Amino acid sequence: MNKFSWYEAKSVEDALSQANTTLSEELFKPSDQAAIFKSGGIDILDFLKEGLISPKTIINIREIPGLDKISHEHGVGMTIGANVTLADIEHDGEIQKNYPALYQAVAHAATPQLRNMSTLGGNIAQRNRCWYFRSVEHPCFRKNGDRCFARHSQTGQNEGHAIIDNGSCVSVHASSISTALLALQAKVVIVNDKMEKKEVPIEDFFVSPAQDVSRENILQKKDLITGIKIPTPTANTKSYYIKQVARESYDWSLADVAVVAEMKGNTCQSITIALGAAAPTPIRSYEAEALLKGKQLSDQNIMKAAEKAMEVARPLSKNGYKVPLFKSIISRALKGLA
Ligand SMILES: Cc1cc2nc3c(=O)[nH]c(=O)nc-3n(C[C@H](O)[C@H](O)[C@H](O)COP(=O)(O)OP(=O)(O)OC[C@H]3O[C@@H](n4cnc5c(N)ncnc54)[C@H](O)[C@@H]3O)c2cc1C
C-alpha cells in the first residue's frame, strides 16, 4: 500500500473542495495527485491494498456532520444520510416495519462487522467484485485494457457473472442493497462543488458498460452523495427481498430479487421487480411487471412472470444455472407478498 495523506473533511463543501478524481477515473487513467473520498473505507481500502490505486490523499467524509441521520417526513418519504451505516439501517424500527425489502436486503449484506463500518453511500458507489477486475494482472476493459477475461468461453471464470446485458464487461454490480432500493424507486441525492443539489432516480444512477465501460455510476469528481430518498409506501404496499448466495455465513450475491407491490386483496395494482447480480447494473424486469399489473398473484401468473423475466437471459459458459435460480427466487419473492 502506498503512503498517502489524510484529509478530515469538516463539511460537504469542504470535502468537495478537496476532491479531484473518482475511483473509476483513477482505475482507468491513474494520476499521481489523486484525492479521493473514503466513507466506511471497506471498498476503497481493498483497492489500495491490492495496489490498484495509489492516491495522494484520502478525504475522510465519514465524520461530516448531518450525513449520518435517517429522517422520516410523514406522507412524503424517508431520507437515509449517505453516512448511515448498514447496521443502523438494519436496526431501524420504521424501516423494518415499512420497508421490509430494504431491511431484508441490508440484513443479508456482508457480515455484522462489515455492516457496522459500511455506509449506504459507499455501498451504492462500490465497484464490482469480478476477480479479473480486482487483479492488477488482468488489464480488463474497466481498467482501460483490451478485453474481458471473464467472458472467454473456455478460460473465463464467469460463474458469478451477468446473464443479461453481458455484451462487453460481464461483471455484476456488487451492491445487493441497490436491488431493494431500485424496487422501492429510491432517489440518490447528489451535491456538487457549487453546492447544487440533484435527485437522481437510482435506475439512472447506475451506468452500464454499453454506456461507458470506465464507470459504474454517474458520479463525477466533484459530486458527493448526501443521501438516499425513498417514497412513503401506501397502506397496501408490500415488499419482499431474497438473496441467493453460495455459502450461508456471508457472501456476495449469486442472484437476488426485490419486489414491491401495491395490493388490493390478491390483485396486484402496481408492481416493481428488481434483479441483482443478473446484469452489470441492478435492473428492473419491466416485462414481468407488465404481465402482473392488474392480475391476481396466482401460482400460474407468478410462474409466467418468472419465465418472462428470464426470456432476455443469455448465460455465459459457466453461469447457465442462474436462469432457473432467478426463476425460483422471483417466484418465491412474489409468493412472499401474500
Ligand atoms: C466480504 C464482503 C462482503 C460484502 N457483501 C456485501 C453484500 O452481500 N451486499 C452488499 O451490498 N455489499 C456487500 N459488501 C460491501 C460493503 O458492505 C460496503 O458497503 C462497501 O464495500 C463499501 O462501503 P463503504 O462505506 O466502506 O465505502 P467506501 O469504501 O468508503 O467507498 C466506496 C466508494 O464509494 C465512494 N464514496 C463513498 N461514499 C461516497 C459519497 N457519499 N459520495 C460519493 N462517493 C462516495 C468512494 O470514493 C469509493 O469509491 C461486502 C463487502 C465485503 C468486504
Side-chain angles (χ1 to χ4, degrees):
M1 193 151 73
N2 69 303
K3 282 191 178 172
F4 53 82
S5 59
W6 183 268
Y7 186 85
E8 196 62 47
K10 310 277 181 305
S11 65
V12 170
E13 207 168 5
D14 185 26
L16 285 163
S17 72
Q18 297 299 316
N20 64 15
T21 190
T22 62
L23 175 58
S24 303
E25 284 175 22
E26 210 39 34
L27 285 163
F28 208 74
K29 205 172 170 201
S31 71
D32 54 5
Q33 296 296 317
I36 202 162
F37 295 141
K38 177 215 78 84
S39 184
I42 304 292
D43 205 35
I44 204 84
L45 286 171
D46 268 0
F47 281 99
L48 270 162
K49 285 186 282 184
E50 292 298 334
L52 285 156
I53 54 167
S54 309
K56 191 168 180 227
T57 309
I58 293 283
I59 307 162
N60 185 28
I61 59 171
R62 186 72 184 82
E63 305 304 328
I64 294 177
L67 297 187
D68 59 348
K69 305 267 182 300
I70 302 176
S71 54
H72 298 270
E73 202 180 335
H74 187 68
V76 179
M78 163 176 72
T79 302
I80 305 177
N83 280 340
V84 173
T85 64
L86 304 189
D88 284 343
I89 298 171
E90 182 187 2
H91 297 126
D92 186 285
E94 292 273 327
I95 292 178
Q96 290 177 8
K97 189 167 129 233
N98 296 325
Y99 304 91
L102 179 60
Y103 163 69
Q104 289 158 335
V106 171
H108 286 101
T111 65
Q113 292 92 335
L114 285 163
R115 295 199 289 274
N116 283 336
M117 291 299 294
S118 309
T119 64
L120 189 59
N123 183 275
I124 66 166
Q126 67 177 307
R127 298 299 309 269
N128 74 77
R129 285 271 154 185
C130 170
W131 25 71
Y132 301 109
F133 171 62
R134 297 261 170 174
S135 142
V136 278
E137 282 147 31
H138 294 87
C140 69
F141 286 137
R142 289 209 187 269
K143 299 191 302 263
N144 209 2
D146 62 354
R147 76 194 74 173
C148 171
F149 294 87
R151 68 171 305 114
H152 193 281
S153 59
Q154 266 105 47
T155 57
Q157 295 299 312
N158 52 42
E159 292 85 348
H161 289 70
I163 55 170
I164 297 173
D165 294 340
N166 48 10
S168 56
C169 166
V170 298
S171 64
V172 291
H173 203 277
S175 168
S176 50
I177 294 166
S178 293
T179 313
L181 293 173
L182 178 59
L184 287 161
Q185 303 190 64
K187 287 186 175 164
V188 184
V189 185
I190 300 172
V191 173
N192 68 16
D193 59 329
K194 297 183 190 77
M195 296 308 282
E196 293 161 339
K197 192 194 266 195
K198 60 181 173 185
E199 292 181 11
V200 181
I202 193 152
E203 193 165 11
D204 301 331
F205 175 75
F206 298 110
V207 173
S208 73
Q211 290 170 288
D212 182 351
V213 79
S214 73
R215 55 179 63 248
E216 283 175 73
N217 59 55
I218 60 167
L219 292 174
Q220 302 292 323
K221 61 187 89 176
K222 297 284 186 186
D223 280 347
L224 189 90
I225 304 167
T226 57
I228 311 284
K229 280 190 169 179
I230 309 178
T232 305
T234 63
N236 299 325
T237 300
K238 293 187 171 181
S239 72
Y240 207 83
Y241 171 86
I242 296 181
K243 174 183 173 193
Q244 182 66 49
V245 289
R247 53 181 172 176
E248 265 310 306
S249 54
Y250 73 92
D251 215 341
W252 304 97
S253 174
L254 292 175
D256 58 292
V257 58
V259 291
V260 179
E262 205 178 338
M263 302 296 292
K264 191 171 182 192
N266 193 35
T267 301
C268 208
Q269 294 195 298
S270 67
I271 186 160
T272 53
I273 302 175
L275 309 179
T281 63
I283 51 165
R284 273 174 67 178
S285 177
Y286 287 103
E287 299 83 2
E289 290 174 10
L291 206 140
L292 286 174
K293 193 166 180 226
K295 304 264 174 54
Q296 293 269 315
L297 274 188
S298 63
D299 285 356
Q300 201 189 18
N301 286 337
I302 286 175
M303 206 174 71
K304 277 189 196 163
E307 292 284 340
K308 193 76 189 167
M310 284 297 107
E311 268 179 13
V312 287
R314 301 286 177 272
L316 302 164
S317 54
K318 300 184 180 76
N319 66 4
Y321 74 93
K322 280 199 180 193
V323 175
L325 178 57
F326 266 109
K327 286 182 191 170
S328 163
I329 62 169
I330 292 168
S331 303
R332 280 170 47 212
L334 290 168
K335 285 179 186 169
L337 294 175

